[in-house]
Amino acid sequence: MRHPWIDALRTAAISGVVMIHCAAAILYDQRLFLTVDWHLANILNSFSRFSVPLFLLLTGYLVLRKPVESIPFRKIVFRILMPFFFYACIHLVIYLAIFDDFTGKSINKLLSSGISYHFWYVYLITAGYLLLPVLSALVHRFPTLLNTALLVWPFTFVLALPEVKQQIPGAGAFYMASHLGYLLLGFKLSTWKKFSDVAAWLIFISGGIITAATTFYYSSLNGKFYSLYYLYLAPGVLLSAAGLFLKFQHRKMAESVWLQKISHNSYGIYLVHVIVLEMVLRAAGTPLTIVAMLLFYAITLLVSIFLIDVVHRLPLGKYVSGKSH
């Protein structure tokens, strides 16, 4: 049975991911710092930060409510890793052949920083699925411990603070692992059958405002873009993701062909959109205006969907396209 509200949230999540990476082209351009375009990009990015947390909330909702023995781990991991390896190879070839040279310097850069900055999510969600037996036991057998963990979990954001990371060995790695707390939160929120629409919108909007305001404030103090409060465990981002999830959870909606299409392609879009965006930005040059950024956002999203459809039609393409089937 299909749930249109899940398609709607997946569509919102992947649209937010693309928006984040498009807006970054303005935010990181020092020539545009504190201009009107910069402020608008900050607002758009701040209200899109829910994206990755929303994917994790949906995973927790869909998976952790099931008995752990019924979860097809191998099938799920296969669906994650096969498209990842395929698009990682494409990223590698394009990076070396088009965006850079086959030099020792570029290869060392790849080895030190990875093929692409957005692949971290694939590593995280793979680890999440491998830890599902532990997480499932926690949510079903130890509800008091779950509630305690969720009360403490938001404070792991302090591990991302520069002064804390310098003092505590391994703080950065523990902080990254803490993103899996969204899986637990997705399960917990699934037990809230009724929640005020007005309250949910207020939580979402408040989160976006907090993110935009703190980013503007600390960027002004530092004289350049300061991204700490864009992190996915930052207070404003957590509020935005939870508010949007609560707004749409269990909501009755008419099915939409476009929402279904984008939802089915969401993983593939996540994997391929950075290549498309990089090509568009290189062709356009900088600095960008906010209007150009929005145009590139639409182009990136549509071209990514087209490329996934093309790959899906190739022999064995359904196994690597990233389209759910």
Side-chain angles (χ1 to χ4, degrees):
M1 180 181 177
R2 293 207 58 80
H3 298 285
W5 68 269
I6 292 178
D7 288 333
L9 285 182
R10 276 209 192 102
T11 299
I14 192 58
S15 299
V17 167
V18 178
M19 176 60 72
I20 285 169
H21 294 151
C22 288
I26 291 178
L27 293 168
Y28 281 97
D29 192 334
Q30 191 64 18
R31 293 169 295 179
L32 298 173
F33 184 60
L34 297 186
T35 62
V36 172
D37 289 317
W38 189 94
H39 287 298
L40 291 174
N42 177 35
I43 292 171
L44 288 172
N45 204 319
S46 296
F47 277 88
S48 299
R49 302 306 298 183
F50 63 81
S51 54
V52 168
L54 192 55
F55 275 129
L56 295 170
L57 288 172
L58 284 169
T59 299
Y61 172 89
L62 292 169
V63 177
L64 287 179
R65 294 186 307 150
K66 302 176 181 178
V68 67
E69 59 271 11
S70 70
I71 300 172
F73 295 103
R74 292 183 181 178
K75 186 177 181 180
I76 291 172
V77 173
F78 182 80
R79 285 184 176 179
I80 292 172
L81 295 182
M82 287 298 289
F84 166 67
F85 287 133
F86 175 75
Y87 288 112
C89 289
I90 292 178
H91 272 268
L92 183 60
V93 170
I94 291 178
Y95 176 83
L96 291 176
I98 299 177
F99 297 154
D100 212 321
D101 301 316
F102 284 97
T103 63
K105 182 179 179 180
S106 64
I107 292 173
N108 287 335
K109 181 181 177 182
L110 283 170
L111 292 175
S112 62
S113 59
I115 296 174
S116 183
Y117 56 86
H118 69 306
F119 284 155
W120 72 273
Y121 174 73
V122 181
Y123 313 142
L124 177 72
I125 199 63
T126 301
Y129 277 116
L130 294 175
L131 290 172
L132 277 179
V134 177
L135 299 178
S136 180
L138 175 62
V139 301
H140 291 292
R141 300 179 187 177
F142 305 101
T144 302
L145 182 58
L146 169 65
N147 293 334
T148 303
L150 286 175
L151 286 174
V152 174
W153 165 65
F155 295 98
T156 57
F157 174 67
V158 301
L159 296 174
L161 299 177
E163 54 271 25
V164 175
K165 289 173 65 176
Q166 294 172 3
Q167 298 297 323
I168 302 178
F174 187 79
Y175 170 79
M176 292 304 297
S178 295
H179 285 77
L180 295 177
Y182 277 113
L183 299 179
L184 302 178
L185 182 60
F187 170 83
K188 185 64 180 181
L189 295 182
S190 73
T191 65
W192 296 9
K193 300 302 181 183
K194 292 184 179 180
F195 198 83
S196 166
D197 282 354
V198 174
W201 277 126
L202 286 175
I203 293 171
F204 170 73
I205 294 170
S206 298
I209 291 173
I210 290 170
T211 303
T214 50
T215 299
F216 163 69
Y217 176 75
Y218 285 102
S219 294
S220 299
L221 285 181
N222 284 270
K224 62 180 180 179
F225 175 52
Y226 187 80
S227 62
L228 179 68
Y229 290 92
Y230 271 9
L231 294 177
Y232 293 121
L233 288 176
V237 177
L238 195 158
L239 287 173
S240 291
L244 199 61
F245 185 86
L246 288 169
K247 174 65 182 74
F248 284 91
Q249 182 185 209
H250 306 306
R251 181 182 178 184
K252 293 182 179 180
M253 299 176 61
E255 291 192 4
S256 166
V257 174
W258 267 104
L259 288 182
Q260 285 185 24
K261 186 173 185 64
I262 297 175
S263 175
H264 287 173
N265 286 280
S266 59
Y267 184 50
I269 295 171
Y270 186 90
L271 293 173
V272 78
H273 80 277
V274 169
I275 298 175
V276 178
L277 177 59
E278 184 71 17
M279 289 183 169
V280 171
L281 290 176
R282 284 175 176 260
T286 56
L288 294 180
T289 64
I290 198 70
V291 174
M293 188 274 287
L294 291 172
L295 176 62
F296 296 162
Y297 162 77
I299 291 172
T300 300
L301 193 58
L302 293 173
V303 171
S304 297
I305 294 172
F306 171 76
L307 291 175
I308 294 163
D309 283 341
V310 171
V311 172
H312 195 74
R313 289 182 170 87
L314 296 174
L316 303 179
K318 65 180 181 180
Y319 298 111
V320 298
S321 67
K323 181 194 288 284
S324 60
H325 51 85

